[in-house]
Amino acid sequence: MALKVLTALDHAGTQFYHFKAIIIAGMGLFTDAYDLFCITPVLKLIGRIYYPPGDDGAPGVTPPATYSVVVSVALLGTVTGQMVFGPLGDSMGRRRLYGLALLLMIFSSLGSGFSICRTRGCVLTSLCFFRFLLGVGIGGDYPLSATIMSEFANKRTRGAFIAAVFSMQGFGILAGSAVTMAAAAAFEKATPAGHISPKHTPEAADILWRLILMLGAVPAALTLYWRLGMPETARFTALVEQNEFQANQDIRRVLVDLDLPSIEEEDELEAPASPPPPPPPSYSILSGEFRRRHGRHLFACAAAWFLIDIPYYGSTLFQSKVYEPWNKSAREVNAYDEAFNVAKIQAIIAAASTIPGYWFAVFTIDRIGRRPIQFAGFLLMAAFLFSLAGPYKAYWEDHNKNAWFLVIYAFTFFFSNFGPNTTTFIVPAELFPARLRCTCHGLAGAAGKVGAIIGAVGFLWASQSKDKSKRETGWKPGIGMMYSLVILGGVCLVGAAVTFLFTPETKRRSLEENVVSDGDGGGSELRRVGSSDSRVSAAPLNLCSPS
C-alpha cells in the first residue's frame, strides 16, 4: 500500500490542491520576507523618534549597536526556530506544528507593534523580544513548508512547486515596501505642514512604524484556517507512522484521479490477519551511520545555504546604504519621506530583479536542474559583485547615479534568486529520509541564517567609509564598499566550488530514489511497511558525483 500511495503521488497530474498548497505554504514565506525586510525603514523612523538630533542639526539616528541587535535578533530567532521545529516536525508530524508556527508569526507580528511604555529602552526591549519570537515562527515555517510541499508534489514538477512557495518571499518584500510607502504618504498628507520638517518628527510617526510591523500579521492570518485544515502528508503517515490505511485516506481528501486501491481493498488492509513485523532499528542524525549515508549531502546543503545568505542578506537589508546617492540626505527630508524613499528602493529592486529571478527558477528548475542553476547563480553573482567592486572607489563612489550601477547591482539579486537562494531551499527537502527530512532542512536553514547574521551585521559595519564625512553618526570606519563587495564576490566563488564538488542533482526523481545513497536510502524506510515494489527499491544511485 505504501508504495502504491507514493507512486501515485509521484505520477499524479497537477491539480487544484497543488496550487492551493502553494498559497497556504507560501504565505508563511511571504510573511517572513515582509517582516524581515520592513525593519530597515522602521529603524529609520525609530532613530528620529527616540534619539536626539546631532550637534550639526541632523535628525536622530538609531545607533550602530542598536541597529545591529534589532536586525540580528530576528535572525537568531530564525536559527532557533529551525533547530527546534525541524526535529519536532519529524517526531510529531508536519501538520501538528504547521499551524503553531503561523500562530507564533501572527502573535509576534502584532506584538512587535506594541510596548508597555514609550520610553526608548522599554520600546527597544519589547521590539527585540517580539522580533525574536517572530524569528522562531519564521524559522519553524521554513522546514515545514518545504517538506510539506515536497511530499505532496509529483516528481516531474516538484522543484517548480517548492520554488513557487519560496517565490512568495519576493512578493512579501514588495508588499512590505508598498505598505510602508502608502502608510508614510498617508501620514504625511494627514499632518499639517507646520508640524513636520526634517528637524521635527511628529508624534504620529510613532504610530506609523508600529502599524507597518503589525500589518505583517494580516497575510498569515488569512491562511491560518486552511493551514490548520491540511492533512498530514502521505509520506510521513506511511513511512514514519507506518499507517498505510490512513495515508491512503488522507491523500484522497485532497487529490483526485490517483491510482490507489479500491475502498474494498482498503477495508481488508484496515484489519490485517496478523500484526505487521516490527520496524528495523533506524539510525539517528547523530550516528556514524547517518554521517556515512547522508553526511556529505547535509554538508553540501548547509554550506551552500550559509554561503549564499552572506551576500544575499548583506546586500538586501542595506540597499538603502548602497543607493544613498540616489536619495536626498536625511537632513533634507522629513521622517515620512525618509521611510518612503528607503521602501521605494526596496520595491524597485523587488519588482525589477528579485521577483523575476524567483519565477525564472520556477519555470526552469525542473528542466535545467537544481545543481546547474545553483552553480551558475553563484558564478554570476560573483561576476557582478566584482564588476561593482573593481571600479567602485575610482568611479562608482562619486558617480553611482549612473544607471549601469543600478543594472549591475540588480543582476546580483536576479541571479541569487534564479540561483542558490532558491535551490538551497529546495534541495534539503529532497535528499533525506522522511523520518529526518524536516530535521536536516532545519539544520541547513539554520546554517544559512548564521550566514545571514554575518552578512547583514558584518556588511553593515565593514562597508563604512574611512572618510568620516561619509559616515552616519556613531559608525566606526570600516574597510569600505569596494573591499566589502570583493569579499562578497569571493564568498560566491566558494559557494560555486562547494556546489560543483558536493551538491547532487535531484530533479525528476522520486524522493525515495533521491534518498538512495551508499547502498541505503528509501529502501530501509520502505521495507518497514513490508513492500517489495521494485520501482522504488532500485539500485543505489551515486548522487554525490559532480557529473
Side-chain angles (χ1 to χ4, degrees):
M1 167 69 76
L3 278 178
K4 290 182 179 179
V5 171
L6 305 188
T7 303
L9 282 171
D10 283 336
H11 294 88
T14 300
Q15 302 181 23
F16 171 76
Y17 188 78
H18 287 128
F19 296 103
K20 183 178 178 180
I22 288 171
I23 299 299
I24 295 171
M27 279 301 102
L29 279 297
F30 181 101
T31 305
D32 153 29
Y34 179 103
D35 289 318
L36 287 181
F37 293 104
C38 72
I39 196 63
T40 304
V42 163
L43 285 174
K44 296 289 187 182
L45 291 168
I46 288 175
R48 287 178 177 260
I49 297 165
Y50 291 103
Y51 289 91
D55 296 335
D56 57 355
V61 176
T62 304
T66 304
Y67 211 124
S68 301
V69 169
V70 174
V71 167
S72 61
V73 72
L75 298 174
L76 285 171
T78 304
V79 172
T80 304
Q82 288 168 324
M83 299 285 284
V84 172
F85 277 78
L88 288 178
D90 286 329
S91 61
M92 298 174 60
R94 287 68 158 123
R95 73 171 297 275
R96 291 191 180 106
L97 295 168
Y98 209 28
L100 177 61
L102 201 64
L103 279 171
L104 189 55
M105 293 166 69
I106 295 169
F107 168 75
S108 51
S109 293
L110 294 173
S112 295
F114 286 103
S115 62
I116 58 175
C117 52
R118 293 186 61 188
T119 60
R120 183 173 68 199
C122 183
V123 166
L124 291 173
T125 300
S126 173
L127 178 61
C128 287
F129 173 75
F130 285 107
R131 293 284 293 176
F132 179 82
L133 290 182
L134 175 65
V136 173
I138 290 171
D141 193 74
Y142 267 68
L144 294 172
S145 290
T147 299
I148 286 172
M149 197 68 245
S150 72
E151 292 181 345
F152 269 122
N154 65 60
K155 64 181 182 181
R156 298 184 310 279
T157 58
R158 184 179 60 237
F161 287 163
I162 305 174
V165 169
F166 195 62
S167 73
M168 295 297 171
Q169 278 199 334
F171 294 108
I173 297 172
L174 187 61
S177 301
V179 166
T180 301
M181 293 165 65
F187 272 67
E188 183 173 21
K189 187 175 182 179
T191 304
H195 293 75
I196 183 172
S197 70
K199 294 183 179 180
H200 176 71
T201 300
E203 288 190 10
D206 195 44
I207 299 175
L208 173 59
W209 70 264
R210 297 170 188 272
L211 180 64
I212 292 169
L213 294 178
M214 292 169 68
L215 286 174
V218 173
L222 291 175
T223 55
L224 180 61
Y225 173 80
W226 289 275
R227 184 173 284 204
L228 292 174
M230 290 184 77
E232 184 56 82
T233 68
R235 281 187 159 89
F236 179 85
T237 303
L239 296 176
V240 181
E241 294 185 331
Q242 301 179 67
N243 191 334
E244 311 167 45
F245 178 80
Q246 189 61 48
N248 198 5
Q249 290 294 307
D250 286 345
I251 205 62
R252 283 185 186 277
R253 288 173 50 195
V254 295
L255 297 179
V256 297
D257 298 328
L258 297 179
D259 182 18
L260 291 174
S262 66
I263 301 297
E264 291 76 13
E265 291 174 312
E266 289 181 10
D267 291 339
E268 293 178 6
L269 287 169
E270 189 175 11
S274 59
S282 61
Y283 49 85
S284 73
I285 198 167
L286 299 177
S287 66
E289 187 74 3
F290 175 86
R291 289 193 296 273
R292 184 181 73 80
R293 297 179 189 275
H294 308 291
R296 179 168 178 153
H297 289 167
L298 183 57
F299 169 78
C301 294
W305 207 332
F306 171 82
L307 291 166
I308 182 54
D309 273 7
I310 293 175
Y312 183 77
Y313 279 82
S315 301
T316 303
L317 282 174
F318 300 103
Q319 288 172 8
S320 59
K321 174 176 174 55
V322 176
Y323 290 103
E324 278 176 358
W326 291 77
N327 292 325
K328 293 182 179 179
S329 71
R331 293 180 176 86
E332 301 176 83
V333 295
N334 60 50
Y336 300 138
D337 286 337
E338 185 176 21
F340 184 96
N341 290 337
V342 172
K344 179 179 67 176
I345 293 297
Q346 290 182 331
I348 292 171
I349 295 299
S353 63
T354 301
I355 293 175
Y358 281 126
W359 285 93
F360 264 74
V362 170
F363 290 121
T364 62
I365 196 160
D366 287 311
R367 295 182 179 89
I368 300 175
R370 288 72 159 144
R371 187 172 176 272
I373 288 177
Q374 182 168 305
F375 179 73
F378 269 126
L379 283 182
L380 289 167
M381 284 181 68
F384 287 114
L385 287 168
F386 287 142
S387 68
L388 290 175
Y392 189 86
K393 191 171 182 179
Y395 182 74
W396 297 125
E397 189 170 34
D398 296 319
H399 302 84
N400 59 358
K401 286 191 177 183
N402 188 304
W404 280 109
F405 183 89
L406 283 172
V407 172
I408 295 172
Y409 198 70
F411 270 123
T412 66
F413 292 100
F414 178 86
F415 286 108
S416 169
N417 296 309
F418 180 37
N421 192 44
T422 297
T423 57
T424 51
F425 182 78
I426 296 172
V427 174
E430 299 181 311
L431 275 179
F432 302 99
R435 66 184 183 276
L436 298 173
R437 190 166 288 138
C438 268
T439 302
C440 293
H441 196 286
L443 290 174
K449 287 302 174 281
V450 172
I453 294 170
I454 294 172
V457 178
F459 182 74
L460 175 65
W461 287 85
S463 61
Q464 298 299 317
S465 174
K466 294 181 180 179
D467 185 349
K468 187 176 181 179
S469 65
K470 297 181 180 179
R471 297 195 308 268
E472 290 184 351
T473 305
W475 293 98
K476 302 294 183 183
I479 59 176
M481 282 292 296
M482 181 180 74
Y483 293 113
S484 297
L485 291 169
V486 168
I487 291 172
L488 295 183
V491 169
C492 291
L493 290 181
V494 176
V498 168
T499 301
F500 181 79
L501 295 173
F502 299 104
T503 300
E505 182 53 71
T506 59
K507 72 172 182 177
R508 300 199 175 187
R509 294 190 179 108
S510 73
L511 294 178
E512 289 67 45
E513 287 176 311
N514 279 327
V515 169
V516 176
S517 176
D518 297 328
D520 170 44
S524 65
E525 287 188 309
L526 294 168
R527 284 191 294 272
R528 292 184 183 191
V529 291
S531 174
S532 60
D533 193 317
S534 61
R535 283 175 295 182
V536 178
S537 57
L541 300 175
N542 183 12
L543 296 179
C544 292
S545 171
S547 61

